[in-house]
Amino acid sequence: MSGESKLQALLQLIRINKPIGTLLLLWPTLWALWIAADGIPAWDLLLIFTLGTILMRSAGCIVNDLADRHWDGEVNRTRGRPLVTGAVSVNEARLFFLVLLIAAFVLVLFTNPLTIKLSFAAVALASTYPFMKRYTQLPQLVLGAAFSWGIPMAFAATSGELPPALWLIYFANLFWTMAYDTKYAMVDRNDDLVVGIKSSAILFGQHDRLIIGILQLAFLALMAEAGVLFDLGLLYYLGLATAAALCAYHQYLIRHRDPDACFKAFLHNNWVGTVIFVGLALDYAV
């Protein structure tokens, strides 16, 4: 394989052409940075956390594909992944994962001791999630914990402490992650049943839409309460109200459990994160 082909395979491995995972990881981190800073955060922290999000999401994709490489060939959506086709070897993937982790850790070294300590938990969560599909029906819960860990890290890096109210945002994001990743799991539900992969979509069964709705409501309620504790204003709540409307639209999309519609609903969650951030940023700006 030529060097250019290998590079393309490595970029495919980290989903460089599918930024949705990075965006869903980035939005709650930006929420936390803005709130922790009472407005626009320091430019160096903004750069560190943005690059760190890209690196950690990329590393997470590699761990996921390493864990699932024996199953991905049996699932329509994943049978073209580089570890399945042989475009990237297992050892190459492991080396790339290590390089990404080292790069992310170097970034964290420019923060403070508390953030550095929290970064070890971030690595543990990101590395554990892909294997949970073998042992629990709720791997989405572990993903939610991993995708929310940038929130306490952002507060720690900004203020050197962890105010109790940040955990409202943490658990709000955890519930949101569970909701949108269950929609994602609904896309592969039939294939996952065949190959034996566990997921919340399988666990929830015919109650999937109801439980997704409950998770969405819990997400919105906790974000509203966080707004009260952090003394946020009208523009933040307008953003949150828009997010609520988008969540209702997602319920409409998944009403027939059509895989394409469920995938569209999953992708559309980027706009939920966007409108909350825009409302939050505008609220601080004015």
Side-chain angles (χ1 to χ4, degrees):
M1 179 180 290
S2 69
E4 183 178 352
S5 298
K6 180 62 70 176
L7 176 60
Q8 290 175 346
L10 290 171
L11 291 176
Q12 182 186 356
L13 182 67
I14 61 173
R15 317 285 200 274
I16 199 69
N17 62 328
K18 298 178 179 178
I20 182 64
T22 300
L23 292 169
L24 291 173
L25 185 56
L26 182 61
W27 288 126
T29 305
L30 293 180
W31 304 341
L33 281 172
W34 251 254
I35 294 173
D38 272 332
I40 300 176
W43 70 267
D44 56 336
L45 289 181
L46 187 57
L47 181 62
I48 287 169
F49 276 88
T50 300
L51 292 177
T53 295
I54 295 170
L55 291 170
M56 287 305 297
R57 190 263 177 161
S58 298
C61 289
I62 296 175
V63 175
N64 183 79
D65 286 10
L66 284 169
D68 292 351
R69 65 187 186 277
H70 301 301
W71 292 330
D72 280 345
E74 305 299 321
V75 178
N76 289 328
R77 184 178 55 81
T78 59
R79 60 184 48 172
R81 286 179 173 173
L83 283 172
V84 177
T85 63
V88 175
S89 71
V90 171
N91 285 337
E92 288 171 336
R94 287 172 176 163
L95 178 60
F96 194 18
F97 171 73
L98 183 60
V99 169
L100 292 171
L101 279 190
I102 292 172
F105 187 66
V106 169
L107 286 174
V108 175
L109 291 177
F110 288 95
T111 58
N112 58 37
L114 178 57
T115 312
I116 293 170
K117 291 177 184 177
L118 291 173
S119 72
F120 290 100
V123 172
L125 287 167
S127 302
T128 301
Y129 158 69
F131 298 95
M132 291 298 101
K133 289 176 277 188
R134 303 180 186 184
Y135 304 110
T136 174
Q137 296 281 10
L138 283 174
Q140 282 70 27
L141 177 63
V142 183
L143 180 68
F147 264 45
S148 304
W149 201 249
I151 295 166
M153 287 185 66
F155 274 90
T158 302
S159 63
E161 58 185 14
L162 300 176
L166 81 83
W167 298 107
L168 286 173
I169 307 173
Y170 179 88
F171 284 106
N173 191 67
L174 187 151
F175 291 140
W176 179 42
T177 305
M178 288 185 65
Y180 66 64
D181 204 59
T182 299
K183 299 168 198 168
Y184 189 51
M186 289 167 71
V187 177
D188 295 333
R189 179 157 43 192
N190 292 336
D191 287 332
D192 288 348
L193 284 167
V194 172
V195 299
I197 294 176
K198 303 178 189 298
S199 76
S200 56
I202 294 172
L203 176 65
F204 298 159
Q206 64 180 345
H207 304 296
D208 48 9
R209 289 184 60 223
L210 172 62
I211 297 176
I212 288 171
I214 293 171
L215 291 168
Q216 289 172 324
L217 288 172
F219 156 59
L220 294 166
L222 288 177
M223 290 298 290
E225 180 61 21
V228 173
L229 294 182
F230 286 109
D231 198 27
L232 299 173
L234 177 62
L235 290 174
Y236 169 74
Y237 289 104
L238 286 175
L240 203 58
T242 307
L246 292 173
C247 288
Y249 173 59
H250 299 163
Q251 283 287 333
Y252 172 78
L253 286 176
I254 66 174
R255 67 194 186 283
H256 299 308
R257 300 179 176 86
D258 174 73
D260 289 339
C262 290
F263 188 62
K264 181 179 179 180
F266 162 72
L267 292 175
H268 205 263
N269 276 273
N270 174 50
W271 293 107
V272 174
T274 302
V275 297
I276 292 176
F277 174 73
V278 170
L280 181 64
L282 289 175
D283 196 68
Y284 279 115
V286 301

